[in-house]
Amino acid sequence: MYQYLIVCPLVFLAGFVDAIAGGGGLISLPAYIIAGVPAHFALGTNKLASAMGTTVSTARYLKNGYLKGRQMVKMAACASIVSLAGSAIGSSLSLMVSEQVLKNLMIPVLPIVAFYVLRNKNLGSVKAKEPLPEGAAFAIAMAAAFLVGGYDGFYGPGTGTFLILILTGAARMDVRKASALTKVINLSSNVAALGTFLFNGTVQYGLGLTAGVFCILGHYIGSGLVVHNGQRIVRPVILVVLAILFVKILTGN
């Protein structure tokens, strides 16, 4: 019960944040560690809940027509396949790393990833740039899907934010298309990683499924705010929660 009381509210918040601007793993993965879940099980259980929530926000983006057009549909389909491969490789590698190393990774990784999540003060409100040629945008999206998908399988926090920054910056997509494509890629990487962790028996089903319900609720509310331009509330939420979690990780309390 102690684990559920810690994990479920934070996973709800993580889903809410992740649906709007990415970076939900910054909140959810430390939550499992703080609740006493072993590191490999934390990764696997987090992927179960995350996959459930990401499915909802992805469906909501698609329902609102964020991936209209032949080019975007083709890009999303190919990026999903590439992300599956990258994530499968990343999650397999993570199982080769010791529990203690994974826990220790969180101390330097969290502030670095948080920096990239928070460096854009208008997170989620990137101005549209002149589009790249179709081939160039496609190549950048595929490279991002593989590399960031691999990172998502191995560790995960900040995956959505990294994808949004790459797709809006390097690939010059508008933020709504980038957000929708990010969710498609992220869902694929979650599914591939989850399959690897399930196969290796590193998932706590009861906690993961329960947290998944909270994650779904967070993603549903958060993705609705994207549709209604509510992105700016994310920054202060991430700052407060990250500060609390990081102090708890450092102190071990």
Side-chain angles (χ1 to χ4, degrees), residues 59-135:
R60 199 163 189 191
Y61 278 113
L62 297 178
K63 180 181 177 182
N64 284 275
Y66 286 12
L67 281 180
K68 285 182 179 179
R70 182 179 177 182
Q71 177 188 356
M72 289 302 298
V73 171
K74 176 184 175 182
M75 189 179 293
C78 293
S80 296
I81 297 171
V82 172
S83 179
L84 281 168
S87 182
I89 294 170
S91 54
S92 297
L93 290 174
S94 74
L95 291 169
M96 301 178 187
V97 179
S98 72
E99 294 269 338
Q100 192 58 46
V101 169
L102 287 175
K103 286 183 179 179
N104 290 339
L105 270 177
M106 196 168 292
I107 294 175
V109 167
L110 283 182
I112 292 170
V113 175
F115 169 76
Y116 283 100
V117 171
L118 299 168
R119 67 190 301 230
N120 178 11
K121 293 182 179 180
N122 297 312
L123 194 62
S125 303
V126 180
K127 293 182 180 179
K129 300 177 182 178
E130 183 179 347
L132 283 180
E134 181 177 338

Side-chain angles (χ1 to χ4, degrees), residues 25 36-37 44 50 76 78 88 101 117-118 150 166 215 228 234 253:
V37 179
S50 179
C78 293
V101 169
V117 171
L118 299 168
I166 293 170
C215 192
H228 297 97
V234 172
N253 294 325

Side-chain angles (χ1 to χ4, degrees), residues 236-250:
V237 170
I238 294 179
L239 281 170
V240 172
V241 175
L242 274 183
I244 295 170
L245 291 177
F246 193 63
V247 168
K248 287 187 71 66
I249 289 170
L250 286 176

Side-chain angles (χ1 to χ4, degrees), residues 202-252:
T202 55
V203 177
Q204 290 187 7
Y205 292 98
L207 180 60
L209 291 171
T210 305
V213 174
F214 284 82
C215 192
I216 287 172
L217 184 58
H219 270 270
Y220 183 82
I221 296 173
S223 58
L225 285 177
V226 171
V227 175
H228 297 97
N229 297 315
Q231 297 97 322
R232 293 188 179 184
I233 65 173
V234 172
R235 184 178 172 83
V237 170
I238 294 179
L239 281 170
V240 172
V241 175
L242 274 183
I244 295 170
L245 291 177
F246 193 63
V247 168
K248 287 187 71 66
I249 289 170
L250 286 176
T251 60

